[in-house]
Every structure is written in structure tokens, then in C-alpha cells.
Amino acid sequence: MAAWARAVRGLLLDVSGVLYDSGGDGGGVPIAGSVEAVRRIKASGLKLRFCTNETQATREKFVNKLQGMGFDISVAEVTAPAPAACRILKERSLRPHLLVHDDLVSEFAEIDKANPNCVVIGDAAENFTYANLNEAFRVLIGMEKPVLISLGRGRYYKETDGLKLDVGAYMKALEYACDVQAEVVGKPAKMFFESALAEMGVPPQQAIMIGDDIENDVGGAQRCGMRALQVRTGKYRPCDENHPHVKPDAYVNNLAEAVDVILQQL
Amino acid sequence: MAAWARAVRGLLLDVSGVLYDSGGDGGGVPIAGSVEAVRRIKASGLKLRFCTNETQATREKFVNKLQGMGFDISVAEVTAPAPAACRILKERSLRPHLLVHDDLVSEFAEIDKANPNCVVIGDAAENFTYANLNEAFRVLIGMEKPVLISLGRGRYYKETDGLKLDVGAYMKALEYACDVQAEVVGKPAKMFFESALAEMGVPPQQAIMIGDDIENDVGGAQRCGMRALQVRTGKYRPCDENHPHVKPDAYVNNLAEAVDVILQQL
């Protein structure tokens, strides 16, 4: 019997690397057994929320892609950084200069972007050009007190054609150049997990996070009082199991195996 | 009388932002009075060495450009990171993957680059593409113990068309993504200043560094026991004068003013 799987009422699932492996062309392929695993979670009566740092597309496009792969998922079930950032921008009257993926821009449609007083950086992918980085840098360094908001702080992720630098690397470049500390919206920020839990209506003690990122998924969720599993898919690397600070409540080979164990304990 | 200018036998001059402002097209313009100032230093009998973190060109090309602007300078008078890095690569049998400016590649002509076991990063400018950064990252993350050598660690510099991110920002991106600490060759590394002093044959107590970079020029030189001036040209910004850790021995408006004061004390 797996002690870590007891008394669960809700699951938070990371998406990229857990449900599917993303492809360089914006597509990707489902990870074996994960379509069926999502279906089984929903049939079980467990609460479910998808908790992603994906910022290469609007939630609509992202969900459409996943539905096309066969996943039972809707926009209302997804917690993502861009909508959370928009709430913060509005609350603090911040007008962003955006360094994000083209497909994410429409998430900021209602935000005033004239005469920017902050920079918002996401996983801009091909938009991480030398010119665009210099431009974001100049906006920041020109502020009396630079404000940098980062949609996640991932180091890298895996696409079908190999590992790619994630937003966190470029965040660090701007932090260093401007001697500023970014405010992270998305995993592993505590507030981000807490809003996902609130949307699901489950306290952290009764929730399990399942992800492939030892720091942003596992470490972040555990700091909120949740249990957290690392799957051996996506960006998982064997050396993650020797991480100096973070130890998952369990390792599972993939989402399907995690769901098997959890459903047996219900 | 300026106490900081007494008992000087040698000067180390930073180049970009002190002698000239570089231009985006690889050209640039001399800073008023600096051509004459170099001539006066040489006529005075003071020892002189140019100490640059420039890595956008070979020393030959760099010196040619400066000669074209009217400066009395030769390759043998320049201390620069690429030749220093080549010495280290040879000593340690390191085979670099290069993420540098096209014009710097020939400095590494004699170095074996097959099957790389380290990454060397310089100010690659337009070569800092998304694809090239991902490639350097993959080489590093694929090593059991990643070795990253950075030619300088500047935050940014000024060209005639505005501020640009320098190598240090991209170094930080790779450091973060690979959880590694870069070895810096160039200012502010102590060994780099020490080799410039040795080449000049002057002990640190009798040398003055003149630069526009509060951390890499001024802070680095002072840690070697030299006096250091910050010029109010190049990338100098008024807020540098409130730097939390580094305080120059004096500020001067430009190189010509510094040379006026120093020569008066001889």
C-alpha cells in the first residue's frame, strides 16, 4: 500500500511532459496512457485541475491542441500564468512591455500597454531574439525602479526535437543586466498553487501535484503543503533523484501508473 | 592637488567607452580629447596598457579600427580575454564549443574544437540567437560536469544606437539553466588584471585603471590593489555614483581630464 496516495480528494496535473511531449512546431504527442488516465480521474469523482506554466499560446489554443490529441479538458479547468499576470497588472496599474510568444499576446488584449512601466516576460521561444532582448532590457533599465514580471521560472523543457531554454534563463539574463529581482507568476509561486487549489475547492493536505519538474512542480507544491509526485517522463532526468533540496513523495514512471495507485486507494 | 594621482608609473586603460563609443555597425567614434590623451601618456614616459573585455573582433581587427580613428595603439599593447582563454583551454585540454562573434573565431584557430567538453561564451552580439543559445545549452547540459568559460561578465554596454546586453547576461542564462558557475576570463578577474600589470612591469600600487564600468573596471582593479578612476563617458550613469559596494578613487569627466591631472603630478 502506498501511504502517499491516501485520503486524496483532488489532483493537480502539470501538462507538458506529463500529458504530452510538445513538439518544436507547436504540436506534440500524447504520452502513452495519459489520455485514458485523465478519463479515469474524471470518472473516479476526484477533483481535477490542470496547472501549467505554458505561455506559448492562449489557454484556448492550448486546450484545443490537447483536445485534438484526445484529452478530456476544457479552458475552465486550466490554471495558467497569463490570466494571473493580467489580474496583477490591473490591480497595480502596471502597463507592460511584452516579451512573449506571438500566440500569447491576445491574453493581454484588455491591458493598457502604452508608455510601459514594467516588462512581462514569458516563454517567447523564437521571439527571444537579440533585438527583442535588447529592447526589453532598455525599457527596464530606463525605469527608476525596474519591475520585471516573469511567467514562470523554468530552466528548460523538452520538445520532440530536444531540450530548449525556458523563460527562467532569459529572466535571469534581464535580472542580472538590470540588477533587479523578477516577480514570478506561475509555478513555483505559492500564490499560483493556492489559486489552483481554491478553484478546485480542495485543501492542500488532500491534494497531490503530479509533474515532471523537480523544482517548479514538486518543490513548489510541497512548500504549499501538498504531496507531489515526479513522473519519469518529459524533462525528467535520472540526476533529479539526487536533487540536493527536493524529494518527491514518490516517483512514478508516468501519469497512468500514478493514477493506478491513487484509484486503488479510494 | 589630487592625492589619487601621486606616484604613478603605469596606466591601464579600458577602451570602449573610454577611448571611443562603439557603433552598432562595428565602427564607432572617438571620445573628444582621447586620441590626444593617449599621445600625451606615451610622450610622458608612463607605462601604458590597454585592458579590454572586447570580444567582438580579433585584437588585430580591433586595433586596426582604433588606428583608423587616430589612436596610437598596437596589438602588443592590448590585453584581451580571447588569448587568455586560449592559454587556459590548452593548459586544461579543453575543447570548446564556441558561442562568440564571427569575427572572434579566428583567435581560436589553433584550438581543437572536435567533440567539445566545454562552452566558451563571448559577446556574440547578433549570434545570440534563440537557436545558438539552445545549442550551447544542450552541449553544456549533456556534460557530466558542465564547464562554462565566459569572456568577461559585463552587464551591458553602450553603442551609438543605444544600450546592449553584454555577455554577462547570457552567461547568467546558461548558468541558471545548467546550475553551473561560469569561470570568467577578462575583467574583473584578478588574474586578468595581474597579467596586464605583469606585461607592463608595474606593481599594482603604482598603477591606475581608468574605465567606464563601475564593477568590472573600477571594482576589479581595486581588488588587485590598484587605484581606479571612473570616467563619465561610455556606459557611465549618474546612479553609478551611489553604487552600494564600489567607490572609485576619483571621478573624471573623461580620459583627457584624467590625463591632465596625472601628468601635472609627474
Side-chain angles (χ1 to χ4, degrees):
Chain A
M1 291 295 104
W4 59 264
R6 291 176 196 229
V8 180
R9 284 188 45 228
L11 299 181
L12 286 184
L13 301 190
D14 179 31
V15 180
S16 176
V18 175
L19 300 193
Y20 80 114
D21 280 321
S22 59
D25 54 355
V29 289
I31 292 169
S34 59
V35 169
E36 180 60 21
V38 170
R39 211 171 282 139
R40 291 173 67 204
I41 296 167
K42 291 199 166 181
S44 74
L46 285 173
K47 301 272 188 175
L48 173 61
R49 187 116 196 123
F50 302 95
C51 187
T52 179
N53 271 7
E54 166 66 38
T55 60
Q56 282 203 12
T58 58
R59 280 184 300 175
E60 284 72 18
K61 276 201 180 183
F62 182 57
V63 162
N64 280 346
K65 182 172 78 173
L66 291 162
Q67 288 171 341
M69 293 178 200
F71 287 102
D72 179 357
I73 184 173
S74 68
V75 170
E77 295 170 312
V78 175
T79 301
C86 285
R87 284 194 296 275
I88 290 171
L89 295 170
K90 282 179 190 165
E91 277 166 23
R92 290 163 53 187
S93 301
L94 290 170
R95 299 178 306 276
H97 170 91
L98 298 177
L99 178 54
V100 300
H101 198 283
D102 288 344
D103 289 343
L104 195 72
V105 173
S106 63
E107 292 264 20
F108 297 87
E110 289 176 16
I111 303 288
D112 179 10
K113 292 179 279 291
N115 187 20
N117 58 3
C118 78
V119 167
V120 171
I121 183 173
D123 175 17
E126 303 289 344
N127 277 349
F128 281 132
T129 63
Y130 180 60
N132 286 348
L133 282 160
N134 279 332
E135 194 185 349
F137 160 66
R138 284 184 206 132
V139 171
L140 272 179
I141 199 84
M143 294 174 197
E144 197 178 338
K145 206 172 148 41
V147 175
L148 175 60
I149 293 176
S150 187
L151 306 180
R153 53 172 290 152
R155 295 169 187 267
Y156 57 87
Y157 53 85
K158 189 181 176 187
E159 293 201 327
T160 46
D161 58 345
L163 295 175
K164 304 260 169 92
L165 288 170
D166 198 357
V167 60
Y170 294 95
M171 172 194 86
K172 284 288 172 185
L174 292 175
E175 282 188 341
Y176 176 70
C178 301
D179 198 15
V180 64
Q181 175 117 38
E183 303 173 35
V184 176
V185 177
K187 299 178 286 186
K190 200 172 178 186
M191 200 188 290
F192 191 71
F193 283 109
E194 287 171 347
S195 62
L197 288 167
E199 286 154 344
M200 198 162 62
V202 171
Q205 302 77 13
Q206 300 184 336
I208 296 180
M209 172 80 206
I210 303 176
D212 64 337
D213 187 313
I214 182 73
E215 291 177 351
N216 291 309
D217 293 328
V218 176
Q222 288 179 332
R223 277 195 297 279
C224 289
M226 300 166 65
R227 284 161 275 174
L229 311 185
Q230 189 178 14
V231 288
R232 293 195 181 100
T233 55
K235 84 177 84 174
Y236 163 86
R237 299 195 310 155
C239 64
D240 290 344
E241 305 202 12
N242 304 318
H243 192 284
H245 308 303
V246 183
K247 191 161 178 52
D249 292 272
Y251 293 97
V252 288
N253 286 317
N254 50 49
L255 177 62
E257 182 181 304
V259 171
D260 278 345
V261 177
I262 291 165
L263 297 191
Q264 275 172 21
Q265 313 265 331
L266 287 183
Chain B
M1 291 294 104
W4 59 264
R6 289 174 197 229
V8 178
R9 284 187 46 231
L11 299 182
L12 286 185
L13 302 189
D14 178 33
V15 180
S16 175
V18 174
L19 300 193
Y20 81 115
D21 281 318
S22 59
D25 54 355
V29 290
I31 291 169
S34 61
V35 169
E36 181 59 21
V38 170
R39 210 172 280 138
R40 292 174 67 204
I41 296 167
K42 291 199 166 180
S44 73
L46 285 174
K47 301 273 189 175
L48 174 61
R49 188 116 195 122
F50 302 95
C51 187
T52 180
N53 271 7
E54 167 66 38
T55 60
Q56 282 203 11
T58 58
R59 281 184 299 177
E60 284 71 19
K61 276 201 178 182
F62 183 57
V63 162
N64 280 347
K65 181 173 78 173
L66 291 162
Q67 288 171 341
M69 293 179 202
F71 288 101
D72 180 355
I73 183 173
S74 68
V75 170
E77 296 171 312
V78 175
T79 301
C86 285
R87 284 194 296 276
I88 290 171
L89 294 170
K90 281 179 191 164
E91 278 166 23
R92 289 163 55 187
S93 300
L94 290 170
R95 300 178 306 275
H97 169 91
L98 298 177
L99 177 53
V100 301
H101 198 283
D102 288 345
D103 289 344
L104 195 72
V105 172
S106 64
E107 292 265 19
F108 297 87
E110 290 177 17
I111 304 288
D112 179 10
K113 292 179 278 291
N115 187 17
N117 57 4
C118 77
V119 168
V120 171
I121 182 174
D123 176 17
E126 303 289 344
N127 277 349
F128 281 133
T129 63
Y130 180 61
N132 286 348
L133 282 161
N134 279 332
E135 194 185 348
F137 159 67
R138 284 183 207 133
V139 171
L140 272 179
I141 200 83
M143 295 174 195
E144 197 178 339
K145 208 172 143 44
V147 175
L148 174 61
I149 293 177
S150 187
L151 306 180
R153 52 172 289 150
R155 295 168 187 269
Y156 57 87
Y157 53 85
K158 189 183 176 183
E159 293 202 324
T160 47
D161 58 344
L163 296 174
K164 304 261 169 93
L165 288 170
D166 198 357
V167 60
Y170 294 95
M171 172 194 86
K172 284 288 172 185
L174 291 176
E175 282 189 341
Y176 176 70
C178 302
D179 197 17
V180 64
Q181 175 119 36
E183 303 173 34
V184 176
V185 177
K187 298 177 287 185
K190 199 172 180 187
M191 199 188 290
F192 192 72
F193 284 109
E194 287 171 348
S195 62
L197 288 166
E199 286 153 345
M200 196 162 63
V202 171
Q205 303 77 14
Q206 299 183 337
I208 296 180
M209 171 80 205
I210 302 177
D212 66 336
D213 188 313
I214 182 72
E215 290 177 351
N216 291 308
D217 294 326
V218 176
Q222 288 179 333
R223 276 194 298 277
C224 288
M226 300 168 65
R227 284 161 276 176
L229 311 184
Q230 190 178 13
V231 289
R232 293 196 180 98
T233 55
K235 81 176 88 174
Y236 163 85
R237 299 195 310 152
C239 64
D240 290 346
E241 305 202 14
N242 305 317
H243 193 283
H245 309 302
V246 184
K247 192 164 177 51
D249 292 272
Y251 293 97
V252 288
N253 286 318
N254 49 50
L255 177 62
E257 184 182 302
V259 171
D260 278 345
V261 178
I262 292 166
L263 297 190
Q264 275 172 22
Q265 312 264 330
L266 287 184

